[in-house]
Amino acid sequence: SQPGQFRVPHGIVIDSRGLVYVADRENSRVQVFTQAGALVTVWASRVGADKGFGSNLVWRAHVSSVSYDPSLDLFAVTEGSNVILRSATGCTLLSRGPFLWPHDAILLPPLGPATPPAGSWRANAGRPFSFAVAELEGKRVTQYEVRLGSGRAGLQSMYG
């Protein structure tokens, strides 16, 4: 589909600037719109080129969800078997995986008091925060703790 069109819209969030982000699952991208519906930009999936897998692995090319944390001004995007943390400009800050058919991921609030100025991942670099991933094939929810800029990360299964 052309930019501004969808094959399977699969997740939607609004950021603190009022922009609307839609996970366009079958087109392997996130499309960004104004609230009036004007296309602003498209974030192409890093894994979109992997569509050559057999039918049971075609999910590896999907962008199935997008979530947003206003305190970090940061997005978690499930792309294929990974969760990608992206800035508001779409830049990849961190990629974690592989997960077993990740369906959804959410950012959890940073731990500890906010570091001024709030609303910026740069201002909060080094502070721990987490994201949770719902894995369809793994039949579990996994929590991943990260510290942007520190290279430290830990993985634990929360449920399942």
Side-chain angles (χ1 to χ4, degrees):
S1 301
Q2 296 297 316
Q5 298 176 337
F6 304 104
R7 282 195 51 212
V8 178
H10 208 258
I12 187 167
V13 297
I14 297 176
D15 73 5
S16 58
R17 291 167 293 283
L19 295 175
V20 179
Y21 297 75
V22 181
D24 187 4
R25 181 183 155 151
E26 299 299 318
N27 284 320
S28 301
R29 63 190 179 193
V30 172
Q31 297 195 72
V32 184
F33 298 88
T34 65
Q35 289 187 27
L39 181 66
V40 175
T41 191
V42 174
W43 299 348
S45 171
R46 296 178 44 221
V47 298
D50 291 343
K51 288 189 177 181
F53 288 110
S55 61
N56 65 331
L57 297 178
V58 73
W59 60 268
R60 289 190 180 185
H62 291 165
V63 173
S64 59
S65 75
V66 58
S67 69
Y68 175 71
D69 184 292
S71 69
L72 294 167
D73 196 24
L74 192 64
F75 296 84
V77 182
T78 56
E79 296 184 20
S81 59
N82 296 302
V83 173
I84 312 296
L85 300 185
R86 291 182 178 243
S87 69
T89 60
C91 293
T92 297
L93 302 174
L94 183 75
S95 175
R96 286 292 180 255
F99 295 98
L100 298 173
W101 198 346
H103 178 69
D104 200 4
I106 61 165
L107 289 159
L108 304 172
L111 304 174
T115 303
S120 167
W121 66 267
R122 284 185 182 91
N124 289 289
R127 287 186 57 224
F129 68 94
S130 301
F131 63 87
V133 182
E135 298 178 78
L136 294 179
E137 186 69 25
K139 296 180 176 66
R140 63 183 179 185
V141 174
T142 305
Q143 182 176 337
Y144 212 113
E145 181 182 294
V146 295
R147 291 178 188 257
L148 289 177
S150 73
R152 181 172 170 239
L155 179 68
Q156 69 180 39
S157 179
M158 292 172 54
Y159 314 103

